[in-house]
């Protein structure tokens, strides 16, 4: 009996050995299904950002007399860490820049060094493409500078002191075993005349098998994700010095010249030349952006402002009553609750930024209205894989309409319209918005279309949270007459779905299956692939969650022979091409699954892909948002408006009558003598 048992065990062991050797030979001789070339991945995480203007001077290394604005303090985020024990970590400042003058910003990131930019974003220090030199792009487009005067630049905290670093040449920094940056604090002070949104990222090159998290006790799943997780990655901007607006329409006025003069103690007069002499870093006069904002960072002193544009004249204090009433609900500054007029008292700058908003009188009674611009936008995933869409538009309280759309036979078909206003996440008085997009309900090929439309700022009811105010706001939105030609000033953008798990087949631009193609994952602010994966001989590939960013990205397929990008597609196009495969194989593109937790890691697909699929040029959906004019939604005509007004009035009269009856009954009861 014992002999038989030992023999059985030996036979089982021999079987295991044979299977192991067979598997080893198979792996050695045959390219595996999940073949992966040893190509480094490019990973980025957000850094926490605090503006130094909100901190004590010593917290950012200021010395007496230095400008405190425009400097931020950077630290590693507790929510997402860089690659641990890395000696090649790149810090970049990313700005929302309208490089194409199409009213839709793009994110441009720079290390502050052209050579480092080329290596980081193009993978070649000798890259010659202008697209690789992000520093030059920012210098040319928004007058970006890290050496604007002696106080601007990059400072590392060393031995409890901030030490200014050379800009060129400069080496990458390191990280510790927890993925925190070394030095632990960096003070970064850059200059742009305009008040642009900024965020800061830490980048690492990693091998596909390298651990990317700094978790404790092996609990690293959350930190394996690419991370736009900390709040600073939604973007921050300097405090504006003020806004210029139309006193009739209340809309911000773009391209208005705002000139600053300073009191010269020697002459006793306000002098522009003296202001420039005392503040050599300012651009004077300053031109407002689409949101009417201007910014002057100045030393302490007494100042005056003069705003000018051909269609307007400056206003005096005696004309304050002619400004439309809603202006104070939109533009009033809490620290200085008055507007700035041509005859206002001088601005006394004493250690803090003094903000002033300037009303201007139009030369026509109706005032002027301006096209809406998207100042910044950001789409990131939350922990539930919903897309959090944040940003700012130029116009206060603009209406945001979000639809789910898909191209069918070259025609965009949209449904599921949701309207966002000030009370439910839409743009507030500063134009800032934050809404949640539930992408898990999207079908293959669908994407989100967002349309921003200006509103009549004189008719809008400002929601303060009270039930009565919200009720009045609802009434106003119901019965107000739609603004004429408001749709002509709208702007639309697209948000692609952000799959957290990719599995499927690669097809070229003609719809042919691409065996052994190289699959690249790209974000809009890097010309280098964040991650590459080699498809197998059938064109099949899989990319798990730890190698996919949590912001919008696209896929690019490179042919095995041509070594050039022959197919570039959005995530919605990838999902369309692989819809049948994912249905048959029950693949969830919004599942968070790493290489170790992937429920399909041992599954061999049985699906047989077609060698050629139909690719329609009309079905292509560009990742870059487009500035389009949406089809005007049907609006209630005059009879409908009158009917709605009547219904509301009847409701109000009925409510008032009921309250009156209750009051009289209560009074009568109180006056009835007791028996």
């Amino acid at each position: 009996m014992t002999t038989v048992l030992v023999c059985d065990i030996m036979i089982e062991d021999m079987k295991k050995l044979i299977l192991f050797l067979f598997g080893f030979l198979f792996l050695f001789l045959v390219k595996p299904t999940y073949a992966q070339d040893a190509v480094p991945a490019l990973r980025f995480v957000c850094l926490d950002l605090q503006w130094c203007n909100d901190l004590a001077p010593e917290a950012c290394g200021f010395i007496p007399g230095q400008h405190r604005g425009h400097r931020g303090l950077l630290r590693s985020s507790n929510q997402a860490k860089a690659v641990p024990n890395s000696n090649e970590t790149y810090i970049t400042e990313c700005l929302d820049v309208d490089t194409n003058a199409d009213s839709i910003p793009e994110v441009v990131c720079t290390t502050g060094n052209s050579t480092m930019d080329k290596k980081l974003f193009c993978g070649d220090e000798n890259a010659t493409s202008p697209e690789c030199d992000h520093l030059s792009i920012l210098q040319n487009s928004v007058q970006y500078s890290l050496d604007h005067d002696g106080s601007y630049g990059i400072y590392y905290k060393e031995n409890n002191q901030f030490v200014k670093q050379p800009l060129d040449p400069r080496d990458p920094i390191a990280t510790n075993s927890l993925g925190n940056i070394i030095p632990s604090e960096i003070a970064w002070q850059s200059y742009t005349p305009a008040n642009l949104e900024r965020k800061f990222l830490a980048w690492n090159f990693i091998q596909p098998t390298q651990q990317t998290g700094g978790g404790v006790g092996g609990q690293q799943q959350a930190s394996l994700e690419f991370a736009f997780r900390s709040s600073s990655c939604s973007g921050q901007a300097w405090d504006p010095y003020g806004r210029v607006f139309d006193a009739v329409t209340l809309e911000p006025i773009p391209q208005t010249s705002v000139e600053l003069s300073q009191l010269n103690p020697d002459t006793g007069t306000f002098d522009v030349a003296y202001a420039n002499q005392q503040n050599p870093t300012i651009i004077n006069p300053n031109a407002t952006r689409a949101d009417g904002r201007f910014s002057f960072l100045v030393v302490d002193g007494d100042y005056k402002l003069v705003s000018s544009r051909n269609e307007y004249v400056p206003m005096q204090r005696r004309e304050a009553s002619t400004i439309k009433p809603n202006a104070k609900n939109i533009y009033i500054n809490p620290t200085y609750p008055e507007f700035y007029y041509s005859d206002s008292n001088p601005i006394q700058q004493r250690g803090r930024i003094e903000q002033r908003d300037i009303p201007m009188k139009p030369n026509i009674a109706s005032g002027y209205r301006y096209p809406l611009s998207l100042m910044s936008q950001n789409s990131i995933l939350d922990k539930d894989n919903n897309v959090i869409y944040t940003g700012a538009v130029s116009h206060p309280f603009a209406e945001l309409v979000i639809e789910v759309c898909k191209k069918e036979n070259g025609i965009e078909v949209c449904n599921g319209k949701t309207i966002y206003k000030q009370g439910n996440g839409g743009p507030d008085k500063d134009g800032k918005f934050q809404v949640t997009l539930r992408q898990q309900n999207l079908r293959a090929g669908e994407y989100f279309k967002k349309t921003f439309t200006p509103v009549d700022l004189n008719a809008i009811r400002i929601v303060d949270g009270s039930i009565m105010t919200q009720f009045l706001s609802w009434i106003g939105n119901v019965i107000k007459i739609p603004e004429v030609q408001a749709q002509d000033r709208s702007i639309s953008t697209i948000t692609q779905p952000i799959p957290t798990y990719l599995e499927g087949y690669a097809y070229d631009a003609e719809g042919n299956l691409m065996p052994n193609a190289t699959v690249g994952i790209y974000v809009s602010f890097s010309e280098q692939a964040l991650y590459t994966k080699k498809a197998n001989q059938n064109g099949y590939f899989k990319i798990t969650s730890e190698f996919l960013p949590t912001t919008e990205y696209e896929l690019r397929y490179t042919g095995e022979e041509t070594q050039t990008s022959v197919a570039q597609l959005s995530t919605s196009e990838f999902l369309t091409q692989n819809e049948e495969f994912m249905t048959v194989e029950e693949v969830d593109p919004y599942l968070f699954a790493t290489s170790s937790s992937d429920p399909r890691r041992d599954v061999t697909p049985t699906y047989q892909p077609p060698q050629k699929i139909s690719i329609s040029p009309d079905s292509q959906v560009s990742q870059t948002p487009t500035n389009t004019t949406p089809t005007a939604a049907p609006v209630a005509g005059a009879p409908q408006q009158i009917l709605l007004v009547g219904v509301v009035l009847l409701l109000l009269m009925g409510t008032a009558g009921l309250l009156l009856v209750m009051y009289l009954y209560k009074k009568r009861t109180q006056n009835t003598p007791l028996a």
Side-chain angles (χ1 to χ4, degrees):
M1 183 70 178
T2 303
T3 304
V4 174
L5 180 60
V6 170
C7 290
D8 289 342
I9 293 175
M10 292 179 61
I11 292 172
E12 289 299 318
D13 288 341
M14 289 295 294
K15 287 181 179 179
K16 291 179 181 179
L17 179 60
I18 292 171
L19 288 174
F20 172 79
L21 292 174
F22 178 81
F24 177 81
L25 289 173
F26 177 81
L27 290 173
F28 183 79
L29 297 174
V30 182
K31 183 169 294 211
T33 301
Y34 305 110
Q36 171 62 56
D37 288 351
V39 179
L42 186 60
R43 182 177 185 269
F44 60 88
V45 296
C46 294
L47 295 175
D48 281 343
L49 167 65
Q50 284 184 287
W51 287 127
C52 292
N53 211 45
D54 301 328
L55 303 172
E58 59 272 15
C60 295
F62 287 110
I63 61 176
Q66 283 188 329
H67 291 294
R68 290 185 57 195
H70 301 186
R71 185 179 292 190
L73 186 64
L74 312 179
R75 302 184 184 94
S76 292
S77 169
N78 290 327
Q79 298 169 301
K81 303 294 185 180
V83 173
N85 300 316
S86 168
N87 291 319
E88 192 175 5
T89 300
Y90 297 83
I91 306 299
T92 65
E93 181 179 20
C94 304
L95 290 80
D96 288 298
V97 178
D98 186 6
T99 56
N100 298 317
D102 58 0
S103 299
I104 299 177
E106 298 178 1
V107 176
V108 180
C109 300
T110 182
T111 61
N113 179 286
S114 293
T115 302
M116 293 177 73
D117 281 357
K118 293 174 183 178
K119 181 177 182 180
L120 177 62
F121 297 114
C122 289
D124 182 0
E125 290 187 272
N126 299 314
T128 58
S129 172
E131 295 180 353
C132 301
D133 189 353
H134 289 194
L135 177 60
S136 295
I137 292 174
L138 290 175
Q139 289 172 335
N140 295 331
S141 60
V142 294
Q143 297 176 269
Y144 177 88
S145 175
L146 271 168
D147 55 1
H148 194 61
D149 70 3
S151 65
Y152 284 71
I154 301 172
Y155 297 78
Y156 292 169
K157 192 172 185 179
E158 301 173 356
N159 298 322
N160 211 33
Q161 291 184 333
F162 284 91
V163 179
K164 190 173 183 178
Q165 303 299 306
L167 297 178
D168 191 8
R170 197 168 85 252
D171 295 324
I173 65 171
T175 59
N176 64 17
S177 59
L178 296 177
N180 294 320
I181 59 173
I182 303 174
S184 60
E185 293 183 350
I186 297 175
W188 188 297
Q189 183 173 0
S190 63
Y191 173 82
T192 56
N195 184 32
L196 302 176
E197 292 280 337
R198 286 159 153 82
K199 58 179 75 75
F200 290 86
L201 308 179
W203 301 71
N204 294 106
F205 291 99
I206 61 172
Q207 294 299 325
T209 57
Q210 185 175 349
Q211 288 289 340
T212 59
V216 178
Q219 301 300 318
Q220 300 185 15
Q221 177 168 313
S223 60
L224 283 170
E225 298 178 70
F226 278 80
F228 258 120
R229 294 299 191 196
S230 62
S231 59
S232 60
C233 277
S234 62
Q236 294 188 33
W238 306 317
D239 292 331
Y241 199 87
R243 291 184 287 180
V244 181
F245 66 94
D246 188 305
V248 175
T249 64
L250 305 184
E251 295 205 358
I253 309 174
Q255 297 303 312
T256 302
S257 174
V258 181
E259 189 174 62
L260 181 76
S261 60
Q262 184 176 357
L263 178 63
N264 187 333
D266 295 332
T267 63
T269 59
F270 284 86
D271 189 348
V272 174
Y274 183 75
N276 293 335
Q277 177 186 346
Q278 296 298 307
N279 303 275
T281 64
I282 66 173
I283 300 296
N284 192 16
N286 202 292
T288 60
R289 302 180 70 205
D291 55 2
R293 297 183 188 272
F294 62 94
S295 180
F296 289 109
L297 183 66
V298 294
V299 298
D300 286 353
D302 294 347
Y303 296 90
K304 283 190 175 182
L305 299 170
V306 175
S307 56
S308 60
R309 178 168 166 153
N310 290 337
E311 300 86 354
Y312 294 89
V313 294
M315 299 187 68
Q316 296 183 343
R317 284 180 290 181
R318 60 182 174 82
E319 299 176 286
S321 61
T322 64
I323 302 175
K324 297 296 183 180
N326 247 0
K328 290 188 176 182
N329 295 323
I330 302 172
Y331 294 102
I332 276 295
N333 172 21
T335 61
Y336 189 83
E338 292 184 16
F339 295 126
Y340 186 85
Y341 302 96
S342 60
D343 58 346
S344 288
N345 294 327
I347 302 170
Q348 295 183 331
Q349 178 79 28
R350 300 291 187 271
R352 69 173 185 178
I353 294 177
E354 292 286 339
Q355 181 178 332
R356 298 292 188 273
D357 294 330
I358 306 175
M360 296 196 65
K361 182 179 179 180
N363 58 13
I364 57 175
S366 60
Y368 293 94
R369 303 177 188 275
Y370 300 94
L372 180 144
S373 291
L374 187 57
M375 309 306 294
S376 65
Q377 64 174 345
N378 193 32
S379 297
I380 62 175
L381 292 179
D382 65 7
K383 60 182 179 59
D384 298 318
N385 286 337
N386 297 315
V387 178
I388 307 300
Y389 180 54
T390 61
V393 292
S394 56
H395 286 48
F397 299 119
E399 180 182 270
L400 169 59
V401 174
I402 297 182
E403 302 170 278
V404 174
C405 301
K406 185 177 183 178
K407 289 289 184 68
E408 296 181 0
N409 299 321
I411 299 175
E412 186 178 57
V413 178
C414 301
N415 56 62
K417 178 187 294 186
T418 303
I419 300 176
Y420 296 91
K421 297 186 179 182
Q422 52 178 319
N424 63 339
D428 61 12
K429 69 176 185 177
D430 294 316
K432 295 181 179 180
F433 59 86
Q434 177 173 323
V435 298
T436 300
L437 310 177
R438 304 191 183 283
Q439 64 174 356
Q440 290 86 343
N441 297 328
L442 292 178
R443 293 176 296 177
E446 293 182 334
Y447 53 90
F448 296 104
K449 180 177 180 180
K450 300 100 57 182
T451 301
F452 296 91
T453 303
V455 299
D456 185 345
L457 292 173
N458 286 303
I460 192 171
R461 273 68 173 176
I462 310 300
V463 175
D464 63 6
S466 68
I467 295 177
M468 181 56 69
T469 304
Q470 293 185 44
F471 176 66
L472 293 175
S473 176
W474 174 79
I475 292 176
N477 289 329
V478 168
I479 68 175
K480 73 174 185 178
I481 299 174
E483 180 185 349
V484 178
Q485 296 182 339
Q487 297 288 344
D488 294 337
R489 302 189 294 131
S490 298
I491 191 169
S492 293
T493 70
I494 288 171
T495 289
Q496 293 288 339
I498 308 176
T500 52
Y501 180 91
L502 296 179
E503 185 177 356
Y505 293 85
Y507 291 91
D508 65 18
E510 284 72 41
N512 299 306
L513 197 64
M514 297 179 67
N516 305 316
T518 298
V519 182
I521 302 297
Y522 290 80
V523 291
S524 62
F525 42 91
S526 175
E527 290 74 35
Q528 185 167 214
L530 297 185
Y531 182 70
T532 57
K533 183 73 177 278
K534 195 80 170 179
N536 71 1
Q537 63 273 17
N538 296 321
Y540 169 83
F541 68 94
K542 178 197 294 187
I543 302 177
T544 48
S545 301
E546 70 267 40
F547 298 115
L548 294 173
T550 57
T551 186
E552 285 187 86
Y553 62 88
E554 69 176 14
L555 295 86
R556 299 181 192 175
Y557 301 146
T558 304
E560 185 178 32
E561 297 179 358
T562 61
Q563 294 302 306
T564 58
S565 181
V566 295
Q568 180 175 336
L569 66 161
S570 66
T571 51
S572 63
E573 291 172 314
F574 168 81
L575 296 175
T576 298
Q577 292 179 4
N578 288 277
E579 180 179 11
E580 184 177 351
F581 163 77
M582 288 186 290
T583 300
V584 171
E585 296 287 336
E586 298 182 348
V587 174
D588 181 4
Y590 303 114
L591 172 72
F592 180 81
T594 65
S595 301
S596 58
S597 65
D598 179 14
R600 291 177 52 82
R601 62 184 178 275
D602 298 322
V603 174
T604 301
T606 59
Y607 176 82
Q608 296 298 317
Q611 295 298 306
K612 186 177 181 64
I613 60 175
S614 175
I615 299 290
S616 171
D618 293 334
S619 68
Q620 301 296 312
V621 180
S622 174
Q623 181 196 17
T624 303
T626 55
N627 184 2
T628 60
T629 301
T631 304
V635 295
Q640 292 172 307
Q641 294 287 349
I642 295 173
L643 177 61
L644 287 171
V645 171
V647 170
V648 172
L649 288 176
L650 285 175
L651 286 173
L652 290 176
M653 291 173 63
T655 303
L658 179 61
L659 291 173
L660 179 61
V661 170
M662 293 175 64
Y663 170 76
L664 293 175
Y665 175 78
K666 183 177 180 181
K667 185 176 181 181
R668 180 179 178 183
T669 303
Q670 291 175 343
N671 294 334
T672 301
L674 295 175

